[in-house]
Amino acid sequence: MLKLLLSLMLAALLLGTASAREMGAAMIAYDEGSAPRLVTANQSAGSVTLLERDSGKRLKEAQLRGDLRQLARADDGTLLVTDYSGDRLLLLDDDLEQEKAIPTGHRPYGVIFDPKRRWFWVTLFEGGRLQAYDRAGNLQLDAKTAETPRGLALTNDDRLLLTHAMTGQLAIYDLAKLEKGATLPKPKLITLAETHSDTPSDSQGLPRLLDGIALSPDGSEAWLPHVLWSFDHPFQFQSTVFPAVSIIDLDEEKERVDERKQLFLQINLPSVGNRSQIVSNPFAARFAADGKRVYLTLAGSEDLLVFDLSRSGKQNSNRHRRKKFQGGAKATQLLRHLPGQNPRDLLIDGHHILVHNVMGQDLTRLNSGGIGPFARVTVDVPHFAKLVETDPRPEALKRGERLFNLGNTAANSRFPMAGDNWMSCNSCHLDGFNFTNRYLMAAHRQQSGDNAINGHANLANMVAGDFIGEYLRMTQQTQGGMGHDTRDGAEAVDPARPQPEVQAMMEDLHAFVTSDGNLPYLANWLRLDAPRRDPAKAPTTHPKEWLNSASCQNCHQQAFQDWSESNHRLMGNSHPYYKVVQALARETEGEAFGQWCQGCHMPQQVMNGQTDLPKGSHMFEQGGASLIAAHKAGEPVVEEGTGCVLCHRITRLEDAGGNSAFTVNLKDRESYVFEDAPGGSLQHWLAERQINARPAMHKASYQKDFYRDAALCKSCHNEFAPGTGANIVNTWDEWEKSSFAKAEDPAKRRTCIDCHMNPEPGNGGAPVAGQSTENGTVKERLYRHNFTGAQHQLVGLRSATLEQESLALLRSSATLSARIENQSGQPALVVRVANTGAGHALPTGVADFRELWLELTVTDASGKLVLQSGQPLDGAVPEDARLFRKVFGDAEGKPVGLKFWRYAKLLEDTRIPADGWRDEAWPLPADAQGPFKADIRLNFRTYPKWVNDAVRAAEPSLPEPPIVQLNRLQLTLQPLPVTPDTEPQS
């Protein structure tokens, strides 16, 4: 009997070996001859380390720079490493020597080796692509995937599994259907279940932050660690983020929803002090060789959780008809607070478990305790192997990254970052501050009229003022840390007067928040692709590094002429409304808050390290005269708005939801001898001849395919408040839902630039041929740099032609119709305003300031005035007028006025959506006799009188903005009863 039992145990172990599979990892174990080896990717330290697996002795560390997330080893010893921040792959030989650097799309993350095809599979997290490379680093396959592909695994039956981190999905590709040279077969896409509960503290929400995949030895199931985001109630401690593990049945290719591991409920252990044991940020899971246990790292709370599948309850003999047993296996051991910092990856090595501590840059070795049902995992060697000899990053930055990822209450019991080990900053802001931010806003489920804040509430300043105080308020209210939860002995912390130790911690956190890969200028998402020369300061440029836009005019005369008088050129001191509002923002929120505004209005100034507004104004200047003069004198100039070089050296879109979310690169462009020489000089003439001789290189430097993408416009024409995340401007989101973006016929689709950079504004975005370069080829669709739009007033101070073009676009946006209806036995005039020409809401942009309203008069058969509405009084539109607008309110429901960044509740939204309409009704006197003559006008003004009065007090030379008539309808209406199907009279 004993022999039989031993034979069965051996067979189970061999089964795990026979069902070979690969999983993406930051640690790879292999044998070199008889010598066990281990190689690790050391993330932000930018190195790869080779170790003796038995002793932990470091054999070699290769410094490669970047953020090295995962690696895979081919059958010939070749290694492929993903550099997440460097947008590249690194091909290494078996001695860690770099053989090749391979540029990729945005943020390569997962990598795995496919022994059947001898390919490396790679995910591009931000790029939304799956690629395959051979062992020489040659691209073999490049396929578009669902959004945010991240972790990879390969089953023994030739299926490739891929997690989609920010959409909560698992893709399964059947590689058996992949023939040589063929396209990747369409995957089976499994969307993990979203759950809800009426009790906010119940584990619930949207599955997010998926990463690695754990495959059972028999290939029957996959475990997916993740968190649940629950944003359908106020964002607060212990009701927003919940750790979980979802189980996928790989035979039926579906989620076993009832077996999801809700980690607050699943820990089958005695509570401590009559409290649930809380963990945070599940990261990696691994099965024991016999498939009876699963080990799970909790990166935030820095724990190891052990599930014993042999105790999961009796199952039906038919595995696919399982008895529901309280969610399946429960955890039987919680090894609390491992010795390392931020434990992530796991590797099972016999009876040892190796844990990769990312922030501590070392390995912890655990002892599994054997395979018996009562085995307990213990710490074998706390710091088994040191991975990094020299980390090039500043110490403050490393400490700040640790705090950002820290949810371990015991790590600093006096001043913990998290109360009750609940969550860390990383639980929402995956990998820091990047494009995943827009998924946070998309997950917000509350009605904006009740709560428009989808981030941190109750901020005294909007982050940039007293950043230390704000970090403390965020930590207290959303993580329970810094004295908010005192049950584990935390000391009280006053955000206004923190203890010196706490102040130092927040300064370290600030170093990470403002690092180059995050928010170097703090209040916006603008990046400069340049080295940081001072560890304490964001990278900056010198004004001489920027070509004056006037240097482009000889070859691009029309473009320069249009742009020089547009609002895109003058958005700083020459924009009086901006100047007044930015001064108010600095006064109320702190000086640094001005950079939130400047990121879009004056990005060149931000990247030059200048915080003060430029002196003087060019509000009335025509033809870019001051730029031309500076160019002729050879003097550098800091351009106020978005100039030629700024826009045409945007090399990457972060797509974080707005707030100048793009990267500018000045250094990696084709430069010409004398290109910065004074205008009109012989040297500058020679520079232009060089451009003419090599136009392809010039075009490659200054033209990217994504410049035609509406996502480029989204970078600034979507806007959210720092800290609170309240969506202030959603122009791109409005367009994305419209027929302009979704038309089935590609010829009818229109992007932002089709309408707003059209040579014939108001033509519906139809193509117009023309030349973009003097004596250049005629293009089928020319894009002008006129940037027509709602802000016609300031353009008109410089160019009557450009003003009329903007007005032509505005007047093409809406149509009017009217009818008489019987409402409750009384006649009523109903006016319909239809948005027939704009690919976004009317009005859009700063719709809290724009004035769009109906002005009308109605007379009866005798000529008597029976209705009047919307007539301005002393220049002001009466409050009872039918206005189409947004009204922002604060947390108490009071209008915020000019302080729109304090928006917490949407008090009113009467705008007209793209493809939509609004009906406005006015009762008519019951005794009025028809027919009725109606004179209906749709009026527009860029700013209301109360705003303009405040601005003109600071800028007396600014004229009053005119009231513009966009449409007018004069008609006679009969007071006849109409059915609901009766069409309006127009």
Side-chain angles (χ1 to χ4, degrees):
M1 186 68 181
L2 181 59
K3 287 182 178 180
L4 178 60
L5 182 60
L6 290 172
S7 297
L8 290 173
M9 291 175 63
L10 179 61
L13 290 172
L14 289 175
L15 179 62
T17 304
S19 300
R21 79 278 186 204
E22 297 283 343
M23 289 173 282
M27 293 191 291
I28 296 291
Y30 65 95
D31 293 326
E32 189 173 283
S34 60
R37 295 285 185 259
L38 182 71
V39 62
T40 66
N42 301 326
Q43 295 211 4
S44 297
S47 67
V48 172
T49 302
L50 180 65
L51 303 163
E52 286 184 353
R53 200 159 81 240
D54 290 341
S55 67
K57 178 182 178 182
R58 188 170 65 248
L59 300 175
K60 185 173 183 179
E61 182 187 1
Q63 288 286 348
L64 304 167
R65 296 178 294 106
D67 182 1
L68 311 182
R69 289 305 179 97
Q70 289 195 357
L71 44 75
R73 189 173 188 270
D75 48 11
D76 64 353
T78 300
L79 288 168
L80 193 66
V81 188
T82 55
D83 180 0
Y84 189 64
S85 64
D87 290 347
R88 60 177 184 160
L89 305 174
L90 299 173
L91 195 70
L92 311 180
D93 65 17
D94 57 1
D95 197 36
L96 306 190
E97 293 295 325
Q98 182 177 323
E99 294 186 337
K100 194 174 185 180
I102 308 165
T104 66
H106 295 348
R107 292 191 173 94
Y109 184 88
V111 60
I112 194 172
F113 182 67
D114 181 347
K116 180 176 180 180
R117 294 160 191 83
R118 296 185 175 179
W119 284 357
F120 292 101
W121 293 99
V122 175
T123 58
L124 304 185
F125 181 48
E126 184 177 352
R129 306 197 75 80
L130 176 65
Q131 297 180 334
Y133 294 85
D134 64 21
R135 293 177 298 178
N138 301 311
L139 183 65
Q140 300 296 315
L141 187 148
D142 182 17
K144 184 174 177 57
T145 70
E147 294 178 275
T148 61
R150 197 161 172 96
L152 290 166
L154 191 61
T155 68
N156 60 297
D157 60 356
D158 212 18
R159 285 181 292 175
L160 182 69
L161 277 55
L162 187 159
T163 54
H164 294 279
M166 307 309 297
T167 59
Q169 295 173 306
L170 177 73
I172 302 177
Y173 292 87
D174 186 355
L175 298 184
K177 298 178 181 178
L178 176 63
E179 299 178 3
K180 190 172 183 180
T183 58
L184 194 68
K186 186 177 180 180
K188 169 70 176 292
L189 201 60
I190 302 170
T191 300
L192 302 185
E194 177 182 353
T195 57
H196 291 284
S197 170
D198 293 334
T199 304
S201 58
D202 284 351
S203 183
Q204 60 181 299
L206 289 161
R208 293 294 183 264
L209 308 196
L210 278 72
D211 198 318
I213 304 165
L215 296 175
S216 62
D218 64 0
S220 65
E221 62 186 43
W223 284 39
L224 309 179
H226 59 84
V227 301
L228 299 169
W229 280 353
S230 182
F231 294 154
D232 52 4
H233 52 263
F235 185 24
Q236 60 186 353
F237 177 44
Q238 295 182 334
S239 67
T240 300
V241 176
F242 302 91
V245 182
S246 290
I247 313 298
I248 305 297
D249 187 317
L250 292 178
D251 291 339
E252 296 190 354
E253 295 190 344
K254 67 179 184 181
E255 181 187 4
R256 298 181 195 145
V257 179
D258 62 324
E259 294 185 27
R260 177 177 290 173
K261 308 295 180 281
Q262 314 282 0
L263 295 187
F264 292 173
L265 309 175
Q266 226 72 36
I267 303 172
N268 188 25
L269 302 167
S271 60
V272 178
N274 199 31
R275 288 162 53 194
S276 299
Q277 298 204 62
I278 308 300
V279 295
S280 57
N281 296 9
F283 187 84
R286 291 290 184 266
F287 279 79
D290 62 0
K292 293 182 179 179
R293 297 174 112 194
V294 178
Y295 306 101
L296 176 71
T297 54
L298 289 310
S301 54
E302 300 181 336
D303 307 315
L304 182 82
L305 201 55
V306 183
F307 288 88
D308 188 342
L309 275 64
S310 66
R311 303 188 189 185
S312 61
K314 186 176 180 180
Q315 300 178 19
N316 191 294
S317 58
N318 182 344
R319 189 171 61 79
H320 304 303
R321 295 175 59 194
R322 296 171 178 270
K323 179 182 178 182
K324 188 173 181 180
F325 44 88
Q326 297 180 330
K330 291 191 176 183
T332 55
Q333 183 185 359
L334 176 60
L335 189 57
R336 183 115 266 190
H337 309 326
L338 295 171
Q341 297 180 4
N342 198 237
R344 295 198 186 181
D345 209 2
L346 282 171
L347 190 142
I348 311 296
D349 186 20
H351 64 277
H352 289 139
I353 304 170
L354 295 175
V355 182
H356 186 196
N357 302 308
V358 171
M359 303 302 158
Q361 299 176 340
D362 64 2
L363 301 180
T364 295
R365 191 168 77 177
L366 309 175
N367 193 311
S368 66
I371 59 174
F374 301 103
R376 305 285 291 177
V377 177
T378 57
V379 176
D380 183 31
V381 183
H383 302 285
F384 173 67
K386 181 180 178 182
L387 302 177
V388 178
E389 182 64 33
T390 303
D391 190 328
R393 298 174 302 156
E395 290 299 320
L397 179 60
K398 291 191 288 184
R399 293 192 300 266
E401 185 177 16
R402 156 94 162 134
L403 293 172
F404 186 85
N405 287 274
L406 185 60
N408 181 353
T409 303
N412 185 339
S413 58
R414 293 178 61 215
F415 306 117
M417 284 296 293
D420 210 9
N421 304 288
W422 198 285
M423 62 180 288
S424 71
C425 306
N426 191 66
S427 300
C428 292
H429 298 288
L430 179 62
D431 297 326
F433 301 96
N434 53 59
F435 77 107
T436 60
N437 183 78
R438 62 184 160 92
Y439 293 93
L440 285 167
M441 292 189 284
H444 182 69
R445 302 299 183 88
Q446 298 175 73
Q447 295 295 319
S448 57
D450 300 322
N451 181 14
I453 293 174
N454 53 35
H456 303 278
N458 304 318
L459 300 180
N461 296 96
M462 305 301 285
V463 183
D466 169 23
F467 66 84
I468 288 177
E470 300 306 6
Y471 291 158
L472 288 170
R473 291 183 185 93
M474 293 175 182
T475 303
Q476 290 172 339
Q477 294 167 17
T478 60
Q479 296 172 214
M482 291 296 160
H484 179 84
D485 183 353
T486 60
R487 292 176 296 173
D488 292 301
E491 297 180 19
V493 175
D494 181 353
R497 291 177 293 278
Q499 293 89 333
E501 180 181 339
V502 172
Q503 169 126 356
M505 292 172 67
M506 295 302 100
E507 288 173 349
D508 289 341
L509 180 60
H510 189 63
F512 178 72
V513 170
T514 57
S515 61
D516 296 342
N518 288 316
L519 306 176
Y521 309 106
L522 185 60
N524 63 59
W525 295 70
L526 180 65
R527 272 97 165 176
L528 174 66
D529 190 357
R532 182 179 287 230
R533 298 179 178 89
D534 183 340
K537 295 181 180 179
T540 56
T541 59
H542 189 279
K544 290 184 177 179
E545 295 180 56
W546 297 83
L547 288 177
N548 185 326
S549 292
S551 67
C552 307
Q553 68 169 327
N554 285 347
C555 297
H556 303 282
Q557 291 180 15
Q558 182 67 57
F560 179 80
Q561 179 66 31
D562 287 343
W563 167 85
S564 67
E565 292 171 345
S566 74
N567 281 311
H568 273 214
R569 183 213 157 193
L570 297 172
M571 295 193 290
N573 214 53
S574 301
H575 192 304
Y577 298 95
Y578 168 77
K579 183 172 66 172
V580 168
V581 172
Q582 207 221 45
L584 178 64
R586 287 168 174 248
E587 176 188 339
T588 58
E589 310 299 336
E591 283 295 314
F593 189 69
Q595 291 197 106
W596 174 56
C597 315
Q598 287 168 232
C600 285
H601 281 259
M602 295 181 291
Q604 187 184 135
Q605 186 187 40
V606 172
M607 290 182 286
N608 279 353
Q610 298 170 302
T611 56
D612 295 333
L613 282 169
K615 306 302 180 186
S617 172
H618 305 290
M619 183 168 59
F620 297 97
E621 180 181 288
Q622 295 183 329
S626 62
L627 293 177
I628 295 172
H631 185 223
K632 286 182 178 179
E635 298 172 351
V637 60
V638 179
E639 296 180 16
E640 287 185 44
T642 51
C644 302
V645 174
L646 183 283
C647 279
H648 286 274
R649 283 306 299 166
I650 293 175
T651 54
R652 174 169 175 161
L653 300 181
E654 191 65 33
D655 197 8
N659 291 17
S660 55
F662 53 80
T663 296
V664 176
N665 177 303
L666 294 181
K667 65 184 190 301
D668 299 322
R669 60 184 172 89
E670 180 76 0
S671 59
Y672 300 87
V673 180
F674 305 132
E675 71 176 6
D676 56 352
S681 66
L682 174 62
Q683 291 94 327
H684 192 262
W685 182 87
L686 290 171
E688 290 182 341
R689 301 291 76 72
Q690 294 175 66
I691 293 172
N692 292 338
R694 302 177 66 197
M697 295 300 296
H698 183 70
K699 182 178 180 180
S701 289
Y702 294 101
Q703 186 68 35
K704 308 295 180 190
D705 289 341
F706 65 80
Y707 290 173
R708 294 182 176 88
D709 193 333
L712 176 61
C713 308
K714 178 184 181 180
S715 298
C716 280
H717 292 275
N718 264 22
E719 179 182 356
F720 56 92
T724 69
N727 288 276
I728 297 166
V729 174
N730 290 83
T731 300
W732 187 90
D733 297 321
E734 297 159 8
W735 167 83
E736 185 188 31
K737 299 172 185 175
S738 75
S739 64
F740 287 69
K742 293 185 174 182
E744 292 185 6
D745 182 358
K748 294 182 179 180
R749 292 177 196 153
R750 298 288 185 265
T751 67
C752 310
I753 63 176
D754 290 335
C755 294
H756 293 276
M757 295 179 69
N758 197 293
E760 298 176 5
N763 73 351
V768 177
Q771 295 169 297
S772 61
T773 306
E774 301 307 305
N775 301 316
T777 58
V778 176
K779 300 178 179 180
E780 291 183 3
R781 180 188 280 276
L782 173 68
Y783 292 112
R784 278 180 59 194
H785 288 66
N786 45 1
F787 302 112
T788 52
Q791 188 47 279
H792 66 89
Q793 175 203 6
L794 294 181
V795 173
L797 301 180
R798 299 181 288 275
S799 170
T801 300
L802 285 186
E803 179 176 31
Q804 290 306 312
E805 290 181 344
S806 283
L807 291 173
L809 182 67
L810 285 166
R811 288 175 174 136
S812 71
S813 62
T815 57
L816 294 172
S817 57
R819 63 186 184 274
I820 300 290
E821 282 187 2
N822 286 332
Q823 295 186 352
S824 302
Q826 183 177 356
L829 172 68
V830 180
V831 177
R832 174 170 294 184
V833 184
N835 183 347
T836 53
H840 46 67
L842 280 180
T844 190
V846 288
D848 49 319
F849 292 154
R850 302 282 183 247
E851 283 189 320
L852 181 68
W853 77 100
L854 286 168
E855 178 186 347
L856 54 86
T857 56
V858 178
T859 56
D860 64 10
S862 66
K864 178 183 176 182
L865 180 68
V866 295
L867 176 63
Q868 190 174 38
S869 176
Q871 279 74 19
L873 182 63
D874 295 328
V877 179
E879 271 301 308
D880 61 354
R882 304 300 169 87
L883 283 149
F884 306 100
R885 63 180 179 177
K886 289 192 295 190
V887 179
F888 293 151
D890 61 16
E892 283 72 45
K894 299 176 182 177
V896 295
L898 290 176
K899 300 177 185 176
F900 53 85
W901 52 87
R902 284 287 172 186
Y903 163 42
K905 292 181 179 179
L906 186 60
L907 306 183
E908 180 184 321
D909 188 356
T910 55
R911 298 172 304 147
I912 309 166
D915 307 310
W917 46 265
R918 277 188 72 88
D919 282 350
E920 295 291 337
W922 290 261
L924 296 171
D927 59 351
Q929 298 296 313
F932 298 102
K933 290 186 176 180
D935 187 352
I936 305 165
R937 307 172 194 233
L938 181 65
N939 292 336
F940 175 78
R941 184 161 57 178
T942 56
Y943 291 100
K945 186 177 187 302
W946 67 270
V947 172
N948 204 61
D949 287 347
V951 173
R952 292 190 74 210
E955 192 76 47
S957 61
L958 176 70
E960 287 277 0
I963 293 174
V964 177
Q965 180 180 295
L966 298 191
N967 211 325
R968 186 177 185 181
L969 179 63
Q970 295 175 295
L971 75 171
T972 300
L973 296 165
Q974 297 293 338
L976 299 175
V978 295
T979 67
D981 295 329
T982 301
E983 287 296 318
Q985 302 173 56
S986 59

